[in-house]
Amino acid sequence: MLFPESFQKLFVTLSTTQSASDRPPVKIFALRHSPSQLSILTPSERPRKVLLLLHGYPQNHTLYYETVQELWKAGMLEQWDVVIPDLPGYGRSTKIPSMDGSHYENSKRAIAADCVALIDTMYSPGQRFIVAGHDRGARVAYRMAKDFRDRILGICLMEIIPTRMMFQKMNSMNNHQLTLNTYHWIFLAQPPTLPETLIGASSDYYFSHTIESWTGPRYRGNLDPIAVASWVEQYRNPAVLTGSLEDYRAGASIDLEHDEEDEKSGKAVVDCPLLILHTREFKAQHKDVVDIWEPLGSNGVIVKQVGDDQVGHFLPIEAAAEAIPELITWMNEIVQ
């Protein structure tokens, strides 16, 4: 069992007022933990402390199995609600892509709105919360902090720099090493049905290779097999494969448009506390992580490197013992 029994499995269907009325409703699968001492209270009496955990590519909610163990060991599950969804389009969550070619339905703006609607449905409209995201989930969290400023108490972003800057860094510097290491940004963003056809021909191989090559030496071959199987097997579903590709297509198009609008209007800076966690390998690729993020938060920015040279991309698992205590300390400073 990857998660404690206190984590309930839920399917939440967003109402048509939360998603476009002319489209099938978004259905989100999520795990939800609520502290046992709150169960006897009525909803209006519950002093909710809510943490939303958002996974990245190519995972689903099971990315956070080690994170939850660290939260449990620190006693955080006695105080905090924890919600861990499959992002819309991934895992068991559904999302119908845009039919007009805009990729809007899989944009970070749309997915962020879906995740806020999930919290509204599980709790009540206006419930404030902390968001921690890794990889693509961190990009959703950053967008959420810009679009829902009155709802987000703080964001923890793991292993990312802003999308526009990632594309700018894919150039001839350092013998094209960043470009080669992030080739999937370009490949996955290609129009239908090229990547669907190529990956679909052997999706188990493609995702097994991706996971292994992105894992650091210490955990390579030692990730939980149940979690790894859930990551690989989800892509046998063509809808999930397309959902992940639409995520990257949005990242190379409409997400950039939204980010440019933010910069022009002065909304790129978030006004909630900002915690940036990154690995040593990430720092080697992006030596200016601090310089990038410090100007983008107006209410305190903390940038921390976690893990050693044996840690790869999957920070919430590979560096959980070091990273999650940093997250916990930061959360407790925000919410007393």
Side-chain angles (χ1 to χ4, degrees), residues 8-290:
Q8 294 178 290
K9 297 178 181 179
L10 302 171
F11 281 94
V12 176
T13 300
L14 304 185
S15 70
T16 54
T17 59
Q18 295 163 325
S19 57
S21 59
D22 61 340
R23 304 178 57 77
V26 176
K27 296 181 179 179
I28 300 180
F29 172 83
L31 297 184
R32 176 188 174 186
H33 161 85
S34 290
S36 58
Q37 66 265 32
L38 299 181
S39 61
I40 62 174
L41 302 176
T42 64
S44 62
E45 294 173 322
R46 293 175 184 173
R48 295 292 188 186
K49 297 179 180 180
V50 179
L51 170 64
L52 176 66
L53 296 173
L54 303 179
H55 68 84
Y57 179 91
Q59 278 92 13
N60 52 38
H61 71 278
T62 60
L63 170 70
Y64 287 107
Y65 69 86
E66 289 285 2
T67 295
V68 165
Q69 287 300 313
E70 294 296 326
L71 293 172
W72 173 76
K73 287 191 290 186
M76 294 292 282
L77 298 186
E78 299 173 6
Q79 308 169 36
W80 285 77
D81 280 48
V82 181
V83 178
I84 317 176
D86 288 342
L87 287 174
Y90 287 85
R92 286 179 273 182
S93 296
T94 63
K95 182 78 169 182
I96 304 301
S98 302
M99 295 295 104
D100 59 2
S102 70
H103 311 298
Y104 177 83
E105 291 298 326
N106 297 84
S107 69
K108 306 306 167 291
R109 171 160 285 162
I111 300 299
D114 291 338
C115 291
V116 171
L118 172 68
I119 296 296
D120 287 344
T121 303
M122 285 185 164
Y123 299 98
S124 61
Q127 172 68 52
R128 303 186 74 196
F129 54 97
I130 287 177
V131 191
H134 175 258
D135 189 84
R136 310 303 288 184
R139 300 184 189 284
V140 174
Y142 181 37
R143 169 50 59 190
M144 196 181 297
K146 292 188 285 184
D147 287 358
F148 297 90
R149 293 174 184 265
D150 60 331
R151 302 291 302 279
I152 310 304
L153 295 170
I155 56 172
C156 171
L157 309 181
M158 294 177 268
E159 289 285 276
I160 71 161
I161 60 172
T163 301
R164 178 181 61 82
M165 295 185 185
M166 273 294 296
F167 280 111
Q168 290 174 342
K169 283 172 171 279
M170 293 182 198
N171 54 39
S172 60
M173 293 179 63
N174 197 24
N175 295 319
H176 293 284
Q177 282 306 299
L178 180 62
T179 309
L180 293 171
N181 290 338
T182 54
Y183 78 93
H184 62 287
W185 279 62
I186 307 302
F187 172 53
L188 300 178
Q190 294 302 302
T193 56
L194 177 65
E196 282 93 341
T197 301
L198 295 177
I199 296 173
S202 187
S203 67
D204 281 15
Y205 169 78
Y206 180 83
F207 289 104
S208 295
H209 168 76
T210 298
I211 292 163
E212 182 177 3
S213 63
W214 292 1
T215 305
R218 181 179 296 115
Y219 268 86
R220 197 166 295 148
N222 295 311
L223 296 170
D224 188 285
I226 296 175
V228 174
S230 76
W231 305 336
V232 173
E233 292 169 3
Q234 67 180 332
Y235 292 103
R236 296 175 187 172
N237 179 349
V240 175
L241 177 56
T242 294
S244 68
L245 296 173
E246 284 295 304
D247 179 357
Y248 277 88
R249 288 167 182 148
S253 56
I254 194 167
D255 286 346
L256 294 174
E257 294 175 15
H258 293 158
D259 290 345
E260 185 176 356
E261 291 169 3
D262 292 338
E263 292 171 11
K264 290 180 178 178
S265 62
K267 295 180 180 179
V269 177
V270 300
D271 47 20
C272 64
L274 178 57
L275 174 65
I276 307 297
L277 298 177
H278 64 83
T279 62
R280 181 176 296 188
E281 180 182 358
F282 190 83
K283 175 68 172 178
Q285 289 185 340
H286 307 286
K287 296 179 172 54
D288 51 351
V289 180
V290 174

